[in-house]
Amino acid sequence: MTITLWLENAVQDAERRGLPALRPLLETLARATSALRMADWNADASGQLEPHRPDGR
Amino acid sequence: MDAEPRTLAELAHALRSGAVTAAETTERCLSTIAARNASLNAFITVLADEARAQARQADAEIAAGRYRGPLHGVPVSLKDIIDLRGVATTAASRVREGHIAAADAPVVSRLKAAGAVLIGKNNLHEFAFGTTNEDSAFGAARHPLDANRSPGGSSGGSAAAVASGMAYAAIGTDTGGSIRIPSAACGLVGLKPTLGEIPTGGVVPLSPTMDHVGPICRSVEDAQILHAALGGAGSAARSPASRPLKLARLHDDFTALLDPAVASAFAQACTRLREAGVELCDAIIPHAGDIAPVYLHIVLVEAAAYHAPTLERAADAYTPNVRMRLEMGRYILAEDYMRALHGREVLRTEVDSALTGCDALLLPTLPILAPRLGVETVRVGGTEEPVRGAMLRLTQLFNLTGHPAITIPCGMSPEGLPIGAQLVGRLGETAALLDLARAVEGYLGPGASR
């Protein structure tokens, strides 16, 4: 799931649950998740298309 | 006895020799609590009658030659997240209303076996989920040197109690720095042992894979005594190293953004260490920039997992900030938690590598001074950042990696606020770190300590 889509879903759910104050925290979390996924020790998990790895990993 | 013993170790000598009694020491601590707790809010529960009874028993045993060791008759307090049988464990939250602990936490059993006088339970940031102690169902704890400032957190009441003389030591918990941060802010020694070394049973969890129990006290010798009593590994006295100490200063992300007073005190401490013959070298953690995201994705998920039932049942009983932080964790994807666990292993390897060829790592404990209460952001080095993020910045790495870490006082700001330096040792070698810290404490001199 892309971070954009994750954030959209999370904010919608928080508002549905009556927690609009969660939005700025979720936006901060989205930035942290983006940093986590972009760390160079990580496989690319941005959710964008990526080349197929022949070894299946 | 003319002068009050300053440290737990000094008190232990005085108690054993009969120069003071546990009863009079306990009474003095209770008097301080009576005089100052209304302003400092360091204690949630004061166990005056129980403490007096324990002190009388300790005096009788010592007089009869049944001395149990250096904690015998010493007033110690507990962060109110640790179970003491028959007493509420509030975790500073209305969520826990009506709770009474059915059994002692293992660390409490060990303190009781050592003859400690358990004088009360300390205020904290609700469920240990914060660094300022402001979000507490019992109100904020306050800094003993400036009541407009936070004593740090989450073990803020514990540090305020020890710094103000309400207890000779306190037992706290540390999941991102919650022992080291308030200890540094209040001019005390605070030890986070190696992950898993001291049992966390009977302690309300925050993040079970990063929670640590440890002491807050007034000297490294005190920390050694408490570490041994709590069951720390390898606490037997060791012979001093035959070569000069070698410390590796962590650079880049660890020194780039410091309050000028912290930077100055740390630099002066390094100078004093060099003058004492300590060899200083530099080290880096290559992925230091990833520490905060990795930490956040673990602590939020693990905390949310524990609190999910009460978030459904009694969400309004949490303080608003802590509730929102817990709710955040419920949205993190399992795949991102797994990425964070991977990152944690990368960071652990990098800390191990940084320790290669030196005795310990050296860095400041807190990049800022004790913050003013009610302040949400702080400006450091021209950058505005949330207080919580700033306070965790130099400590949370070692909760991720599990390495033992200790803060010792290293100086004061111009306005008289304490500043701490942090030493980090090898996994499983907390006792060796304590030996080293005791030497460093001596090199830094008594002026650095309260």
Side-chain angles (χ1 to χ4, degrees):
Chain A
M1 186 186 297
T2 65
I3 291 171
T4 305
L5 183 58
W6 169 83
L7 180 59
E8 198 178 297
N9 289 342
V11 168
Q12 275 178 13
D13 185 68
E15 287 176 353
R16 183 186 59 75
R17 296 174 59 221
L19 298 171
L22 210 46
R23 175 191 277 267
L25 298 181
L26 290 170
E27 289 169 349
T28 301
L29 179 57
R31 287 192 289 276
T33 305
S34 180
L36 180 73
R37 292 185 183 188
M38 291 194 322
D40 65 9
W41 39 264
N42 238 329
D44 179 9
S46 64
Q48 307 302 315
L49 287 175
E50 58 182 327
H52 174 69
R53 292 172 190 228
D55 63 1
R57 283 185 298 164
Chain B
M1 185 169 185
D2 295 336
E4 262 179 39
R6 188 185 74 84
T7 66
L8 186 162
E10 290 168 7
L11 175 63
H13 286 299
L15 287 166
R16 189 173 197 182
S17 69
V20 297
T21 66
E24 66 197 38
T25 303
T26 299
E27 217 48 65
R28 196 172 60 244
C29 289
L30 289 170
S31 296
T32 307
I33 293 170
R36 297 199 66 189
N37 197 49
S39 58
L40 298 183
N41 205 14
F43 278 84
I44 290 173
T45 304
V46 180
L47 301 165
D49 293 342
E50 296 87 338
R52 287 186 177 109
Q54 290 162 20
R56 282 194 300 272
Q57 184 185 342
D59 284 333
E61 289 176 354
I62 293 169
R66 298 198 300 276
Y67 182 66
R68 299 196 206 179
L71 282 184
H72 204 174
V74 173
V76 174
S77 57
L78 302 170
K79 183 177 185 177
D80 199 11
I81 200 170
I82 301 171
D83 279 350
L84 173 62
R85 188 165 57 89
V87 178
T89 308
T90 70
S93 181
R94 290 197 296 118
V95 172
R96 303 272 300 182
E97 265 174 13
H99 171 270
I100 297 291
D104 289 331
V107 290
V108 171
S109 300
R110 291 172 185 183
L111 291 171
K112 284 183 173 177
V117 172
L118 301 176
I119 200 162
K121 304 197 74 184
N122 294 125
N123 201 354
L124 63 146
H125 207 113
E126 185 180 30
F127 284 111
F129 209 2
T131 57
T132 61
N133 217 132
E134 287 173 285
D135 297 313
S136 162
F138 300 88
R142 292 172 182 273
H143 197 292
L145 298 176
D146 181 347
N148 293 315
R149 291 181 187 264
S150 162
S154 64
S155 310
S158 305
V162 177
S164 64
M166 296 173 173
Y168 270 83
I171 306 303
T173 62
D174 190 318
T175 303
S178 286
I179 286 172
R180 290 161 289 157
I181 290 167
S183 296
C186 292
L188 299 168
V189 170
L191 171 70
K192 180 199 83 65
T194 298
L195 181 65
E197 184 179 1
I198 308 290
T200 54
V203 179
V204 179
L206 173 57
S207 181
T209 70
M210 295 195 285
D211 290 340
H212 300 66
V213 175
I216 293 172
C217 46
R218 297 182 191 151
S219 72
V220 177
E221 185 180 12
D222 292 0
Q224 288 177 306
I225 290 168
L226 287 154
H227 175 248
L230 294 175
S235 296
R238 292 160 181 236
S239 54
S242 55
R243 55 173 175 76
L245 289 178
K246 185 174 180 182
L247 304 178
R249 282 177 304 186
L250 286 185
H251 266 247
D252 296 341
D253 290 55
F254 300 94
T255 50
L257 293 176
L258 299 178
D259 180 282
V262 175
S264 171
F266 186 69
Q268 288 173 34
C270 289
T271 301
R272 289 203 295 280
L273 291 176
R274 253 194 235 98
E275 288 169 354
V278 175
E279 187 181 340
L280 296 181
C281 62
D282 294 330
I284 59 164
I285 301 296
H287 288 94
D290 298 327
I291 294 167
V294 168
Y295 178 80
L296 197 65
H297 283 79
I298 295 175
V299 73
L300 289 179
V301 168
E302 295 188 357
Y306 175 77
H307 286 277
T310 36
L311 286 169
E312 291 300 319
R313 194 174 68 237
D316 291 340
Y318 288 91
T319 60
N321 288 338
V322 169
R323 179 191 175 189
M324 288 299 128
R325 219 170 282 148
L326 291 168
E327 289 285 359
M328 267 168 89
R330 306 178 87 184
Y331 288 95
I332 290 176
L333 299 177
E335 61 184 79
D336 290 319
Y337 177 71
M338 295 306 292
R339 288 186 184 101
L341 293 181
H342 178 202
R344 176 184 204 165
E345 294 310 314
V346 171
L347 291 165
R348 184 176 287 142
T349 302
E350 292 183 355
V351 173
D352 282 339
S353 296
L355 281 160
T356 303
C358 69
D359 296 299
L361 307 181
L362 174 66
L363 68 163
T365 308
L366 253 181
I368 58 173
L369 301 172
R372 292 188 184 282
L373 292 167
V375 170
E376 291 184 0
T377 61
V378 61
R379 179 166 285 276
V380 190
T383 300
E384 194 83 13
E385 65 178 313
V387 166
R388 175 182 158 79
M391 293 181 85
L392 289 168
R393 179 142 46 81
L394 305 181
T395 50
Q396 61 194 347
L397 171 60
F398 311 109
N399 295 83
L400 282 169
T401 67
H403 291 80
I406 186 168
T407 183
I408 60 177
C410 78
M412 305 285 260
S413 72
E415 63 265 58
L417 291 169
I419 293 164
Q422 192 177 190
L423 293 159
V424 181
R426 289 184 172 73
L427 282 170
E429 296 190 13
T430 309
L433 174 69
L434 283 162
D435 288 343
L436 178 146
R438 195 157 166 187
V440 169
E441 179 186 49
Y443 298 147
L444 293 178
S449 188
R450 282 175 56 77

